[in-house]
Amino acid sequence: MNGAARIVVDRLVKRFGDFTALDGVSFEVAPGEIMGFLGPNGAGKSTLIRILCGLLHPSQGRAQVAGIDVAKDPEAVRTRIGYMSQKFSLYNDLSVVENLRFFGGIYGVGRERIDARVTEAVSMAGLSGREDTLVANLAGGWKQRLALGAAILHRPPVLFLDEPTSGVDPESRRRFWDLIHTLGGEGISVLVSTHYMDEAEYCHRIALISGGRLAALGTPRDIKRLGKEAGAEAAEPTMEDAFVALVGQAQGGRAAA
Amino acid sequence: MLGRILQLLLKEFLQLKRDKSARLRLLIPPMIQMVLFGYAATFEVFDVSTVILDLDRSQESRALIDAFVHSSRFRIAVPAASEREVRDAVETSDAQVGLVIPPGFAELLRKGRTAPIQALVDGTNSNTALIALGYVGQIAGSFSQDYARDLAQRTGRLQGKPMVSVILRERYWYNPNLNSRWFFVPGVIGTLALITIVNLCAFAIVREREVGTLEQILVTPIRPVEFIIGKTLPFFLIGLMEVAIVASVGMLWFRVPFRGNPFVLLLGTCLFLLAALAIGLLISTVCTTQQQAFSSNFFVLNPLFILSGFSFPIASMPPALQYFTYIDPLRYYLVIIRATFLKGVGIEALWHQMLALAIIAFVLLAAAVLRFRKSLD
């Protein structure tokens, strides 16, 4: 790929004391691309996202987000990204609009634009007419979409979603992914980590992370093909088959080394 | 920068406005504490239950007993008929003081000689015991002076030699009646402010950490310093308000005089609140749950209270502990608040305390900001 990439990750290493959470990960993400992060718990997905958001310092290697080095200028990075985590993180004791106005203000959305953006986010979440409802009283799916709306109030070119759909019903998950694709269509690069295999199919490309390393990288079809090569037995391996085979291969390889 | 801080401020007050119980928690407990301290906390000793055994049964011994009865310090609880009964009364806590007037008391007095009486004092509460014993001495002393003068007059100075004596004329400055409420109420203001602000500040930040909103805010362009200012400024304002309210109760209800310059107190209060906020902030950086914050607060606030000189004189502490009092912001604030209330002195008498508070606040705040940034990693 080329200099137009929105995210460039180059041999990234992160150590916590003796533990190596990320061990030389490299990839790039293009504008408008939806990149999925797949991997077992503790594989390093969240660590990677936190580094790209400027919340953690990389131990080695380089990471660029929207053209800015995350280690050198994390604050500038944060004006250009949206972030939504697995932990639901709006204020329960504030209303829908109060939450949006607060985050809009923190992101520096100007007074002349904030009203329109808030209205847009409200309708995107399907909450028109419930602007003054306290967030505590919203069901999970609505909260999720509202959090997404809050994360893009400042129209960032890059959006990070850390297991955004855990604990949400299938219908809400589907609607959520429709939204993600709409954003991708608008040119926003989306980096999303997930546990759900069916969700991986919705991504343009998938990065399979295991033990802090990139075990496989490619389109969903590529991943399934790689999975078959890695020993998945089914003739037409599902994403799950491929995942199990590739993670098994990566872990086996490490044990042998 | 200012815009983002303002947004945080707005949000904090919005949340506070919505949280009825939080508003009550801010107002009611300090009021209750103030009233409790104002009424219950006193060093003065009245109505000590006393048992008297009069083995002399003379005019003189009855006069001495009368002096005790009329003093309002002692309440003659049980008449005793034997020394055993005196001992029993003290043992069963029916009486805290037992007085025994031995036989021959009057005879010695009439001869102008020294007549001993015995006082048994329950020492389990050493403070009360000491004070009560002091009163016994005072009453006995003035009784003997009166008696000596009387005797000298009656006998034409044959008996009861004219006494040469030193008379102490006491004058207590600033608190002429030694009203302990005047001593306690200003101290309570400082203590309450410390407890409230440290708690509020620590809990507010730990709650955001626990819920996950802290992480959400940190991926916005907000800088840690901005976050800290926006998050703690509301508590600073609340602290000022609380000091004002509690101080008003002290002045209007408990009639404690305020003789100093309110601006000197304001300056001291601002410095003190900064130090308190920094302590709360530091606690929040080492705690990830509100449960931890709760126990840490207790751990930190209790020593600060004991070492502050609120009720235990710092000069009487062992030297090693006295050094610790120097880093206790409450120590300095108590001096400032008591001095502005009662002595009415100005900044020229208090600048040592102000400077110490400013240094403590600065060091703690710097440490808190550094630790806060580190705790995010």
Side-chain angles (χ1 to χ4, degrees), chain A residues 50 55-56 75 78-79 83 87-91 93-95 98 101-103 105-107 134, chain B residues 4 7-8 11 14-15 18 208-213 215-223 376-377:
Chain A
R50 292 170 66 85
L55 285 177
L56 285 176
E75 268 146 33
R78 284 190 215 125
T79 62
Y83 171 85
K87 254 187 173 179
F88 173 72
S89 39
L90 297 178
Y91 291 95
D93 49 353
L94 296 183
S95 74
E98 284 163 354
R101 286 191 166 277
F102 169 65
F103 279 105
I106 294 284
Y107 275 117
L134 287 191
Chain B
R4 287 193 289 256
Q7 288 293 335
L8 261 173
K11 187 213 80 176
L14 211 58
Q15 287 180 305
R18 201 140 292 160
E208 291 222 18
R209 198 188 291 274
E210 206 175 31
V211 178
T213 45
E215 190 172 86
Q216 188 68 50
I217 284 188
L218 293 169
V219 290
T220 71
I222 204 164
R223 280 186 280 265
L376 303 176
D377 242 19

Side-chain angles (χ1 to χ4, degrees), chain A residues 160-248:
Chain A
F160 293 101
L161 304 172
D162 192 1
E163 295 182 14
T165 56
S166 31
V168 178
D169 63 84
E171 166 62 13
S172 294
R173 272 169 54 200
R174 204 188 48 74
R175 286 187 62 181
F176 193 83
W177 274 92
D178 286 345
L179 283 178
I180 294 178
H181 273 275
T182 310
L183 296 174
E186 288 167 10
I188 297 181
S189 302
V190 182
L191 222 161
V192 52
S193 74
T194 180
H195 272 313
Y196 300 107
M197 295 302 152
D198 58 323
E199 289 188 346
E201 305 262 13
Y202 301 143
C203 299
H204 296 141
R205 282 197 300 155
I206 294 166
L208 210 159
I209 298 179
S210 171
R213 290 190 196 178
L214 207 57
L217 178 69
T219 63
R221 193 179 304 165
D222 292 340
I223 296 291
K224 284 184 209 163
R225 199 195 67 238
L226 289 167
K228 190 156 179 69
E229 286 166 14
E233 282 165 18
E236 286 284 316
T238 61
M239 187 57 82
E240 187 155 1
D241 296 334
F243 174 83
V244 172
L246 286 166
V247 167

Side-chain angles (χ1 to χ4, degrees), chain A residues 1-9 27-33 52 63-68 80-81 156-160 183-184 186-191:
Chain A
M1 247 172 262
N2 48 48
R6 276 281 166 69
I7 301 176
V8 179
V9 175
F27 63 87
E28 295 187 353
V29 180
E33 187 174 23
L52 294 177
Q64 259 188 13
V65 172
I68 297 162
R80 291 165 173 78
I81 60 165
V158 178
L159 180 60
F160 293 101
L183 296 174
E186 288 167 10
I188 297 181
S189 302
V190 182
L191 222 161

Side-chain angles (χ1 to χ4, degrees), chain B residues 9-301:
Chain B
L9 273 180
L10 221 68
K11 187 213 80 176
E12 288 302 322
F13 279 115
L14 211 58
Q15 287 180 305
L16 193 65
K17 196 185 95 191
R18 201 140 292 160
D19 192 349
K20 276 200 196 90
S21 72
R23 268 177 295 153
L24 289 182
R25 275 202 306 278
L26 282 181
L27 271 182
I28 305 294
M31 291 294 186
I32 293 176
Q33 298 245 37
M34 185 66 175
V35 170
L36 280 183
F37 267 109
Y39 281 114
T42 172
F43 287 140
E44 288 171 70
V45 173
F46 286 103
D47 289 335
V48 181
S49 54
T50 307
V51 53
I52 296 187
L53 173 63
D54 182 1
L55 293 172
D56 195 43
R57 299 190 173 278
S58 59
Q59 198 186 335
E60 280 81 355
S61 69
R62 277 189 291 275
L64 180 62
I65 292 173
D66 274 351
F68 278 98
V69 172
H70 292 306
S71 73
S72 86
R73 300 289 178 185
F74 297 91
R75 183 171 49 78
I76 312 304
V78 237
S82 68
E83 280 193 50
R84 187 186 186 90
E85 279 181 35
V86 173
R87 223 172 307 140
D88 286 351
V90 174
E91 218 151 78
T92 56
S93 300
D94 283 341
Q96 278 178 285
V97 174
L99 288 174
V100 181
I101 304 174
F105 172 75
E107 211 179 310
L108 285 170
L109 282 181
R110 283 173 204 151
K111 286 183 190 151
R113 308 246 303 266
T114 299
I117 61 171
Q118 186 185 31
L120 296 167
V121 184
D122 177 356
T124 42
N125 185 337
S126 54
N127 196 40
T128 313
L130 211 62
I131 295 172
L133 196 58
Y135 290 139
V136 172
Q138 265 180 29
I139 293 170
S142 77
F143 173 84
S144 66
Q145 269 192 7
D146 289 350
Y147 188 88
R149 201 180 309 120
D150 220 39
L151 187 65
Q153 271 170 7
R154 270 189 286 133
T155 57
R157 310 211 166 203
L158 291 173
Q159 306 280 325
K161 297 149 210 148
M163 293 211 310
V164 178
S165 63
V166 176
I167 293 186
L168 183 65
R169 297 209 189 282
E170 312 139 309
R171 282 197 45 208
Y172 298 106
W173 281 13
Y174 313 124
N175 187 357
N177 298 321
L178 287 189
N179 185 339
S180 48
R181 193 174 285 164
W182 287 18
F183 172 74
F184 273 118
V185 166
V188 172
I189 298 170
T191 312
L192 284 180
L194 179 75
I195 294 172
T196 319
I197 296 310
V198 169
N199 275 331
L200 277 177
C201 184
F203 277 109
I205 295 175
V206 171
R207 196 178 310 127
E208 291 222 18
R209 198 188 291 274
E210 206 175 31
V211 178
T213 45
L214 181 62
E215 190 172 86
Q216 188 68 50
I217 284 188
L218 293 169
V219 290
T220 71
I222 204 164
R223 280 186 280 265
V225 176
E226 294 168 358
F227 175 79
I228 288 174
I229 295 175
K231 195 77 195 166
T232 54
L233 196 56
F235 301 126
F236 182 77
L237 298 176
I238 289 170
L240 282 180
M241 221 174 58
E242 188 148 314
V243 168
I245 292 175
V246 180
S248 309
V249 172
M251 285 153 61
L252 300 176
W253 183 257
F254 289 116
R255 301 270 161 207
V256 178
F258 187 89
R259 299 180 174 128
N261 182 343
F263 291 102
V264 174
L265 180 58
L266 181 66
L267 175 66
T269 305
C270 288
L271 293 173
F272 176 64
L273 288 177
L274 285 180
L277 284 174
I279 293 172
L281 203 56
L282 275 171
I283 291 175
S284 81
T285 62
V286 292
C287 299
T288 47
T289 65
Q290 296 185 57
Q291 189 72 34
Q292 289 172 346
F294 183 79
S295 45
S296 309
N297 285 359
F298 185 75
F299 229 69
V300 171
L301 289 175

